[in-house]
Amino acid sequence: MRRKRLKHVGLAVLLMLGSWTAAGTVPAAAAEEAPASAGLLRAMQQDFGLTRAEAEKRLAAEEDAADLEPVARRAAGDAYAGSWFDADRGRLTVAVTSGAPAATTRAVAATGAEVRTVEHSARQLDAAKARLDRADAPAGVAGWHVDPAANAVVVEVVAGERADNDVRAFLDEARAAGPVTVRTVPEAPGTFAAGTVGGDPYYTGNVRCSIGFSVHGGFVTAGHCGGAGAGVSGWDGSYIGTFQGSSFPENDYAWVSVGSGWWTVPVVLGWGTVSDQLVRGSAEAPIGASICRSGSTTHWHCGTVLAKNETVNYSQGAVRQMTKTSVCAEPGDSGGSFISGDQAQGVTSGGWGNCSSGGETWFQPVNEILNRYGLTLHTA
């Protein structure tokens, strides 16, 4: 029975919901080359309309792109302007500035990456975004991030709010900070916590959330699910442990210590849609790569990485350094796991939409959480 098994595998077994740019933490290396599970391949076939062979080819190409990105970044040096995975071509694309020496462009191409010439460097775009991060955004602004393919800072405005005076003033400020593109989103982002309902993985007071990933001594999850010192109960009502650290807004991460007969394992639940997934490391997937999440409400869904280092403007306050995905989520999925292949990516924070009509979801990168609290990911 699934619930009984959940307690035996511990709190880390849960979900893949909510990567970003982590500072300082070196991703854990995969224990070994492991083929993609049949369940994961079926999920990719269903969510991306691929054949099994196409899904296998894409996963292999994404793994190669993730390994190649830091090499190509070093080759580009100061001319580096961002990178992303091109699913149609199955290759990593690296942008370099137009003023870069020809030798630099050749060095990047020699790594095997596709090269695109652009006007603004990643350093310039990051500086423009940092200036916006210091501003107070109105509710009609959903968030902002650097889009390397557009070579601009993308500011997302909630539909129908473009003419609002405060929104217009913010956009003027954004354009003064650097190159900006404005896009419209259907809804304002919100977190995915839920009130108490039966059969959920963990509770804090009357809030239900989802477990992210096992770490030695506990698990990581979303900060908006509970404050430091708050007690946590499992699906069966038994005591699990306590929030040892929590940050929200500005960040959206937390970690919970585990005890009272509960323990952790390096597994993410597939909820019967796919087989349960082993976690073998936390190498960051590039923009454009496929990614899946697991959560206690909507279980298993997949999509792609849309943006990194995005500032998301929730009603409770801005949260920074988030990764945006095309994966849907719903209340109760907060804190759950985002995973790419067998590599942990982050914990679900919030988004807009649902899993009936679609939407977008952000996650807090897991490496940032591990680094912040000095935690070690539990890997297979």
Side-chain angles (χ1 to χ4, degrees):
M1 187 175 186
R2 177 168 299 276
R3 293 182 185 172
K4 184 176 182 180
R5 184 173 63 79
L6 279 180
K7 183 167 182 178
H8 288 289
V9 297
L11 303 195
V13 181
L14 280 170
L15 328 260
M16 259 183 202
L17 271 148
S19 186
W20 53 65
T21 303
T25 298
V26 178
E32 60 183 62
E33 276 305 312
S37 72
L40 177 58
L41 292 172
R42 284 196 302 272
M44 293 188 69
Q45 290 173 249
Q46 174 182 319
D47 291 337
F48 294 116
L50 304 175
T51 65
R52 181 185 178 92
E54 288 170 338
E56 291 175 334
K57 183 178 180 180
R58 174 162 176 166
L59 285 173
E62 290 176 354
E63 184 176 348
D64 289 343
D67 292 340
L68 178 60
E69 195 280 335
V71 178
R73 179 193 287 257
R74 286 194 295 271
D78 291 341
Y80 179 74
S83 64
W84 61 95
F85 178 74
D86 186 330
D88 292 333
R89 297 176 61 83
R91 297 180 65 184
L92 181 75
T93 298
V94 176
V96 297
T97 54
S98 56
T104 298
T105 302
R106 289 196 297 270
V108 175
T111 67
E114 191 86 15
V115 180
R116 180 183 294 183
T117 302
V118 297
E119 181 179 357
H120 307 287
S121 70
R123 183 175 299 173
Q124 290 172 320
L125 296 175
D126 288 342
K129 178 185 175 293
R131 286 194 287 274
L132 288 186
D133 284 345
R134 294 190 288 269
D136 290 327
V141 175
W144 52 96
H145 66 274
V146 170
D147 184 340
N151 197 228
V153 176
V154 174
V155 178
E156 296 178 331
V157 176
V158 179
E161 297 294 329
R162 184 77 175 262
D164 178 82
N165 288 337
D166 291 337
V167 171
R168 292 170 63 182
F170 184 87
L171 293 178
D172 288 342
E173 185 173 359
R175 293 186 180 99
V180 162
T181 295
V182 180
R183 296 176 185 166
T184 300
V185 295
E187 301 175 30
T191 56
F192 285 128
T196 300
V197 296
D200 301 313
Y202 86 85
Y203 305 96
T204 306
N206 67 342
V207 172
R208 168 172 60 91
C209 282
S210 300
I211 295 163
F213 294 97
S214 289
V215 296
H216 291 287
F219 66 88
V220 294
T221 187
H224 70 263
C225 291
V232 173
S233 299
W235 59 266
D236 60 354
S238 66
Y239 177 75
I240 290 173
T242 304
F243 276 83
Q244 297 298 318
S246 180
S247 178
F248 180 78
E250 185 65 27
N251 306 293
D252 194 6
Y253 51 59
W255 83 280
V256 175
S257 61
V258 169
S260 301
W262 293 76
W263 62 88
T264 64
V265 292
V267 173
V268 170
L269 284 182
W271 295 98
T273 302
V274 301
S275 57
D276 294 348
Q277 303 292 300
L278 288 175
V279 177
R280 297 181 181 274
S282 58
E284 185 178 330
I287 293 172
S290 61
I291 192 166
C292 298
R293 71 153 189 81
S294 176
S296 60
T297 299
T298 57
H299 298 172
W300 183 277
H301 288 275
C302 298
T304 56
V305 177
L306 299 177
K308 297 185 180 185
N309 192 24
E310 178 157 1
T311 298
V312 181
N313 192 34
Y314 293 134
S315 61
Q316 300 95 327
V319 177
R320 313 189 194 285
Q321 295 183 303
M322 301 276 273
T323 297
K324 179 165 67 174
T325 75
S326 63
V327 187
C328 67
E330 295 181 9
D333 288 330
S334 279
S337 335
F338 264 93
I339 192 167
S340 182
D342 58 9
Q343 300 295 301
Q345 299 296 304
V347 300
T348 300
S349 174
W352 60 265
N354 55 54
C355 289
S356 297
S357 59
E360 294 177 339
T361 301
W362 287 266
F363 66 85
Q364 181 87 62
V366 69
N367 286 328
E368 181 181 355
I369 309 172
L370 301 177
N371 185 59
R372 168 63 180 82
Y373 294 116
L375 301 170
T376 300
L377 188 67
H378 192 170
T379 57

